[in-house]
Amino acid sequence: MISGQSNAVVVVPNCNNPMGFIMPEPRKRALLALVQRFDAAVIEDDVYGELVWEYPRPSTIKALDLDGRVLLCSSFSKTLAPGLRVG
Ligand SMILES: Cc1ncc(COP(=O)(O)O)c(C=O)c1O
C-alpha cells in the first residue's frame, strides 16, 4: 500500500495507440519494482487489452500487483465500436 507521497505513473501497457506495443511481462515487473522503490502508484489503462491477437491475452500490471499500488481502469468501447464512449 502507498504511504505519504502521491506520485503516479500512467501507462497503457497492452496494445497501446498508435504503435500497438505490448510491454513484456519482465518490464511490467520491473515497473512495479520501480514504483515500489519510489513509493509511487501506477494508473494502468487497459482499454486495448482485449484487442490483442494472442491467447492468453497479455497480463495486466494489476495482475502482478501484490501490495495494492496499481489502479486499473478499462473500457469495452474499443472492443465494441471505436466511436463509442462509455466514460
Ligand atoms: C487510451 C484511452 N483510454 C480510455 C478511454 C476511455 O474510453 P471510454 O470513453 O469508453 O470510457 C479512451 C477513449 O478514447 C482512450 O483512448
Side-chain angles (χ1 to χ4, degrees), residues 16-59:
N16 69 4
N17 187 18
M19 301 299 284
F21 177 76
I22 298 171
M23 187 187 285
E25 194 167 312
R27 293 290 177 92
K28 290 173 178 167
R29 291 186 188 281
L31 178 61
L32 265 181
L34 196 69
V35 292
Q36 276 162 353
R37 183 172 151 209
F38 289 97
D39 194 25
V42 174
I43 299 171
E44 178 180 23
D45 187 351
D46 190 50
V47 71
Y48 301 112
E50 295 295 331
L51 296 180
V52 178
W53 288 96
E54 276 177 25
Y55 185 84
R57 53 153 291 171
S59 74

Side-chain angles (χ1 to χ4, degrees), residues 2 7 16 25 36 40 45 48 59-60 66 74 80 83-84 86:
I2 303 160
N7 297 324
N16 69 4
E25 194 167 312
Q36 276 162 353
D45 187 351
Y48 301 112
S59 74
T60 59
L66 298 178
S74 190
L80 216 55
L84 188 68
V86 175

